[in-house]
Amino acid sequence: MHQSVLITGASSGIGEACAIFLAHKGFRVYAAARRLDKLRNLEGIAGGRITPVAMDVTDDESVADAIETITSDGVSLYGLVNNAGVSVMGPIETTPIEEWRRQYETNVFGLVRVTQAVLPMMRAAGRGRIVNIGSIAGRIAAPFQGAYASSKHAVEGVTDALRREVEPMGLKVSLVRPGFINTPFGHQEQESLEAHTAEGEPYAGAVRKFKAWHAKGHPNAPGPNVVAEAVHAALTAEHPYSRYTAPAKNLGPLVMRNLLPSAVADRIFKRLTGLADIEKKPNLGKSDN
Ligand SMILES: NC(=O)c1ccc[n+]([C@@H]2O[C@H](COP(=O)([O-])OP(=O)(O)OC[C@H]3O[C@@H](n4cnc5c(N)ncnc54)[C@H](OP(=O)(O)O)[C@@H]3O)[C@@H](O)[C@H]2O)c1
């Protein structure tokens, strides 16, 4: 009997790569997302071990219906990969509160909602694995990434608390932190930044610089399989780590983050992102800095 795993956000990028990778490794995969048409492309892969499931993680009814569809097959999920995510980028000052809400509704409350829906069957079985997809941004917050980075900081906290709560019941919880990965996510982030570069936007000059730096990140990054490998390890290791970093080279910045004083880290960010070239002066709503 194949172990069953539910992956959210499986219609693209990392989630899709995880679905294919895990199905080839013998898992029965429930691949969930809003775009069912995209999920249907996965149906014939790995001997038909991938089943598409419509799910919007921001919607109670949609999540309940999806879990009902899975369990009505008599399936008890062994694994949950909380991967669905969006990225809202832009200055904290000018990012509308509705956009902050959209960020947290998916990355934080969506993750908690699906976890709550799956935990009763895992507790009843006395076994199960939950793998949350965080980000390097869950430890290191770049400028103009406040909404996204803070949502991933929240995922770090949720993961730590959950791991400690459910360990006595035989359940294991891990966090996988990707760095830049080459998926459509980068386009979404670039579009999100674009809105803040218009003439008259108070941070336009700085956002343009940051956007140019950010544009180089995703196309030159590794593909999503590097994350799928870490997810597989978290689902199958006898004693999984609490955190995996993918690719592993990103451990460097994470270690530095803990060692360097904030003032030094701030200077490194300024250099990396080109913000050091921006003249320090009061900005009275002009966008020419
Ligand atoms: N790519 C990177 O560089 C990177 C780095 C660090 C962390 N991450 C994290 O990795 C995860 C996946 O990102 P990715 O790079 O694979 O991005 P992606 O290619 O844009 O995929 C995002 C997935 O999330 C799904 N999704 C978004 N909102 C949803 C909702 N309300 N309900 C259900 N599914 C939803 C999308 O499916 P539908 O639109 O069909 O619903 C899609 O399948 C995210 O949590 C992201 O924060 C990515």
Side-chain angles (χ1 to χ4, degrees), residues 9 11-12 14 34-35 56-57 83 148 152 179 181 183 218:
S11 62
S12 169
I14 291 169
R34 292 166 301 181
R35 289 171 294 170
D56 179 346
V57 300
N83 164 75
Y148 177 69
K152 291 296 187 179
I181 302 292
T183 71
H218 291 274

Side-chain angles (χ1 to χ4, degrees), residues 19-58:
I20 296 168
F21 192 91
L22 294 175
H24 280 299
K25 291 285 182 187
F27 279 88
R28 160 119 225 112
V29 175
Y30 290 90
R34 292 166 301 181
R35 289 171 294 170
L36 253 188
D37 55 322
K38 299 266 292 171
L39 293 172
R40 294 222 187 283
N41 298 333
L42 300 173
E43 268 177 318
I45 292 170
R49 280 200 290 275
I50 304 180
T51 306
V53 183
M55 183 196 283
D56 179 346
V57 300
T58 67

Side-chain angles (χ1 to χ4, degrees), residues 8-16 32-39 55-59 62 82-87 103 105-107 110 133-137 148 151-152 176-186 188-189 217-218 221-222 224 227 246:
T8 67
S11 62
S12 169
I14 291 169
E16 180 182 65
R34 292 166 301 181
R35 289 171 294 170
L36 253 188
D37 55 322
K38 299 266 292 171
L39 293 172
M55 183 196 283
D56 179 346
V57 300
T58 67
D59 184 312
S62 169
N82 276 313
N83 164 75
V86 294
S87 178
Q103 180 67 89
E105 283 297 342
T106 307
N107 293 18
I133 304 298
S135 170
I136 296 294
Y148 177 69
S151 78
K152 291 296 187 179
V176 173
R177 289 173 173 150
F180 272 127
I181 302 292
N182 193 356
T183 71
F185 208 63
Q188 188 206 129
E189 293 191 316
H218 291 274
V227 184

